[in-house]
Amino acid sequence: MAKCEFKSLPDAKLQRQRNTSFSFSYDEINISETLSNYAKGKTYYIHTYGCQANYRDEEIISGILTKAGFIKANDENADIIILNTCAVRENAEDKVFGKIGELKAIKAKNKNAIIAICGCMVQQIHIINKILDIYKHVDLIFGTHNITDLPKLLDEIILKRNKIVDVKSQPSLIEENLPSTRLSSFKAFVNISYGCDKFCTYCIVPYTRGKERSRKMEDILNECRELKEAGYQEVTLLGQNVNAYGKDFKDGTTFAKLLEEVAKLNIPRIRFLTSHPWDFKEEMIDVIAKYDNIMKYIHLPVQSGSSEILKLMGRRYTSDQYKQLVTLIRSKIKDVYLSTDIIVGFPNETEEQFQETLEMVKFAQYDSAFTFIYSPRNNTPAAKMVDNVTREEKSSRFKRLVAELEKSVSASSMAMVGKTFKVLVEGASEKDSSMLSGYTEGNKLVHFKGDLSLVGKIVDVKIIVSHTYSLIGELINA
Ligand code: 5AD
Ligand code: SF4
């Protein structure tokens, strides 16, 4: 069996620290002759799980491998197979373990295939140990902070045929000028900041993605300008907590200022993800209201409607403060669409506290929502709390929550019937290839008949039928 070289391993204590420093790098990625010779005629396959930050990482990994000379494959029958993983809940991790197991057959067919696991899951030492113990066919494990080490790590594996684990605890660089193969030619994700310093007590992200750090505004604007020149119709500004953007510069830079500068570039659609209710400033609301090309869609995770649970979650706002924010947003931004994330079954959540969440859903009248059952994450404070809520109770609350949310989500879709909306066409509908699918400015999914030549364009669609989670429309004047 191949020897395993441990270059670095993640340590939760170091991951918790926020006094580490980082610098900016504008260096180009180096590809060795060994790697470019090896890549000739070879393919790579990458499968990404989880959030938009991971999909953006996939684009960078693809960019690096393309620069080395590998060609993208559509399935696992490739020379390099990479799973880019998510750790936010246990069911996400279970899916990945299932997939790693399946890859054993690929390795049996092609002994020279290189199987690599990266992303948030492997930022946890117990996951690395499990992979090394059970899944002997894995060759390389690298983390979220050293994606750009990939060429060097592959060089070593090619030359020595050893296994490598290289997972850093904290980031040391913000790297610009990275190669990138974008997943879409008309909508793009642009990172504005990395990491998170909020440490909500249930969440693994501050450990797996490290200290919160902002990209320089000029670098973000340059990337957006290039996308606009390349004809991109939609840019989504990405950060675990976009409203914390610029705080680390300590020079008065705010997300509102960045958003305004991006809006002035005249990209047709600008979105941003994710907003934390705690530092969502009125200045931001005013910028969103002022520019037509900033989409009137705000994803504002509430997590719980109970102030007591919010306190235990470390969310820094009360139920009343969240409601005041919703009222302010709805009063200042005409026809705004609001979405949220909600967790049920946080440790010791009482029926009364859950009722407060239902009450919040009634109050906020969300246009869409993502719902989760609390999943304990290793090393987080919530995972150490003794929990007296049974699985059955959690699942009953989840069902009741979904039923309550469906009321406002359906009502919001119903109110769209008979009206015309701008839709960015994504492609053929997954369920019915004779239909096209796309999203409205408010992020509602619409299916309608039309020609594939419309993909990547913004068209007018009149809504004729509403389902809870999607709409049927007809094209106007195409
Ligand atoms: N259990 C369940 N849901 C979680 N989320 C984050 N951590 C957990 C967890 N441990 C949810 C939150 C967050 C979304 C991305 O995932 O609602 O906003
Ligand atoms: Fe996790 Fe809270 Fe940071 Fe969001 S703000 S990534 S929920 S710690």
Side-chain angles (χ1 to χ4, degrees):
M1 197 206 312
K3 209 173 118 251
C4 184
E5 187 180 338
F6 295 94
K7 289 184 181 291
S8 61
L9 287 171
D11 175 339
K13 260 200 209 113
L14 295 177
Q15 287 172 327
R16 218 170 277 132
Q17 286 179 9
R18 285 301 181 262
N19 56 0
T20 52
S21 64
F22 67 90
S23 49
F24 292 85
S25 160
Y26 293 82
D27 297 344
E28 295 232 332
I29 292 263
N30 235 339
I31 304 290
S32 71
E33 246 185 84
T34 311
L35 189 59
S36 53
N37 285 336
Y38 179 83
K40 282 195 186 105
K42 290 204 171 59
T43 56
Y44 75 93
Y45 172 76
I46 175 161
H47 188 104
T48 294
Y49 299 80
C51 69
Q52 289 81 1
N54 261 17
Y55 283 92
R56 183 68 191 121
D57 283 351
E58 168 176 339
E59 294 179 337
I60 305 291
I61 294 170
S62 284
I64 294 171
L65 293 174
T66 305
K67 185 170 180 188
F70 291 96
I71 296 159
K72 189 169 185 167
N74 294 326
D75 61 32
E76 291 107 340
N77 292 302
D79 299 290
I80 298 183
I81 301 126
I82 301 178
L83 301 186
N84 183 20
T85 63
C86 169
V88 82
R89 281 172 295 276
E90 194 177 0
N91 54 5
E93 295 190 337
D94 290 345
K95 266 195 229 160
V96 171
F97 281 124
K99 192 75 183 172
I100 305 180
E102 286 172 25
L103 294 180
K104 195 172 177 184
I106 300 280
K107 187 82 171 183
K109 266 199 289 183
N110 176 8
K111 294 258 174 305
N112 289 326
I114 297 172
I115 296 183
I117 317 290
C118 65
C120 286
M121 252 173 97
V122 297
Q123 291 295 131
Q124 310 168 88
I125 188 73
H126 73 280
I127 298 282
I128 295 179
N129 289 335
K130 180 167 172 183
I131 294 173
L132 295 176
D133 273 358
I134 304 177
Y135 305 97
K136 311 268 184 216
H137 51 287
V138 171
D139 301 285
L140 171 62
I141 298 178
F142 64 100
T144 55
H145 305 309
N146 64 330
I147 285 177
T148 51
D149 285 335
L150 185 59
K152 275 189 281 178
L153 299 170
L154 288 174
D155 271 353
E156 258 192 75
I157 292 181
I158 293 160
L159 292 171
K160 300 195 210 154
R161 289 312 307 182
N162 56 350
K163 288 185 183 213
I164 301 179
V165 178
D166 193 359
V167 178
K168 312 261 186 289
S169 296
Q170 278 286 356
S172 57
L173 287 174
I174 283 195
E175 293 173 288
E176 299 293 346
N177 293 335
L178 298 180
S180 156
T181 307
R182 298 234 178 227
L183 288 159
S184 161
S185 58
F186 54 87
K187 54 188 258 184
F189 296 127
V190 171
N191 289 315
I192 64 165
S193 60
Y194 302 97
C196 181
D197 286 355
K198 288 287 181 285
F199 285 98
C200 301
T201 57
Y202 52 82
C203 186
I204 191 84
V205 171
Y207 303 83
T208 61
R209 291 256 162 204
K211 179 187 164 83
E212 198 164 73
R213 54 223 187 268
S214 304
R215 285 178 75 196
K216 289 185 183 159
M217 198 185 287
E218 66 200 69
D219 292 329
I220 298 168
L221 292 176
N222 283 341
E223 185 175 341
C224 291
R225 242 177 242 122
E226 280 170 21
L227 290 164
K228 155 98 174 109
E229 275 157 27
Y232 276 77
Q233 299 295 304
E234 182 175 295
V235 161
T236 302
L237 304 176
L238 281 188
Q240 296 302 334
N241 171 17
V242 287
N243 12 10
Y245 174 77
K247 284 190 178 170
D248 42 346
F249 298 149
K250 299 189 172 67
D251 64 355
T253 303
T254 60
F255 177 63
K257 182 86 195 111
L258 171 72
L259 191 58
E260 179 148 33
E261 292 305 313
V262 176
K264 285 187 199 156
L265 299 177
N266 286 326
I267 296 160
R269 287 181 160 202
I270 297 155
R271 299 187 186 277
F272 52 93
L273 274 177
T274 290
S275 305
H276 193 300
W278 177 68
D279 40 17
F280 201 107
K281 298 279 171 354
E282 192 163 351
E283 186 196 4
M284 264 175 72
I285 301 177
D286 292 335
V287 172
I288 299 165
K290 183 170 163 193
Y291 291 89
D292 284 346
N293 61 341
I294 301 179
M295 298 299 94
K296 308 298 177 256
Y297 167 80
I298 301 177
H299 183 58
L300 197 63
V302 66
Q303 312 298 2
S304 166
S306 149
S307 295
E308 288 150 351
I309 293 289
L310 287 169
K311 188 151 196 228
L312 291 171
M313 286 177 161
R315 291 292 290 178
R316 308 171 190 212
Y317 53 85
T318 62
S319 170
D320 278 348
Q321 284 165 336
Y322 183 92
K323 286 179 180 166
Q324 280 161 22
L325 179 59
V326 168
T327 305
L328 189 65
I329 290 173
R330 289 221 188 266
S331 72
K332 286 200 147 190
I333 310 176
K334 201 175 143 275
D335 295 332
V336 68
Y337 284 71
L338 268 191
S339 80
T340 201
D341 290 343
I342 300 178
I343 299 174
V344 293
F346 188 80
N348 307 316
E349 179 191 60
T350 62
E351 176 60 27
E352 290 70 35
Q353 289 164 336
F354 170 67
Q355 288 295 333
E356 291 180 73
T357 297
L358 293 183
E359 204 263 311
M360 175 64 86
V361 168
K362 285 188 193 127
F363 175 86
Q365 290 293 302
Y366 294 110
D367 299 280
S368 57
F370 302 88
T371 44
F372 312 102
I373 294 182
Y374 166 72
S375 165
R377 303 288 67 211
N378 254 38
N379 288 311
T380 59
K384 297 183 186 86
M385 298 176 188
V386 184
D387 189 0
N388 63 13
V389 191
T390 63
R391 240 170 216 271
E392 293 69 36
E393 184 51 38
K394 289 184 191 216
S395 131
S396 142
R397 285 180 197 169
F398 183 78
K399 283 185 201 135
R400 286 186 280 153
L401 174 65
V402 170
E404 189 57 53
L405 277 162
E406 273 183 11
K407 293 183 197 163
S408 68
V409 175
S410 304
S412 142
S413 297
M414 211 84 120
M416 293 170 73
V417 174
K419 296 186 188 141
T420 300
F421 292 86
K422 296 221 168 301
V423 171
L424 173 56
V425 186
E426 299 264 319
S429 156
E430 276 176 24
K431 282 195 192 134
D432 177 355
S433 60
S434 71
M435 303 281 274
L436 295 176
S437 295
Y439 286 91
T440 64
E441 299 197 338
N443 219 28
K444 290 269 187 178
L445 179 60
V446 184
H447 306 290
F448 56 99
K449 284 228 179 308
D451 194 88
L452 278 174
S453 62
L454 296 176
V455 172
K457 299 205 165 76
I458 295 172
V459 296
D460 286 327
V461 177
K462 185 174 176 185
I463 306 303
I464 47 176
V465 178
S466 85
H467 301 300
T468 309
Y469 298 107
S470 65
L471 301 148
I472 308 291
E474 59 192 18
L475 201 56
I476 303 282
N477 293 338

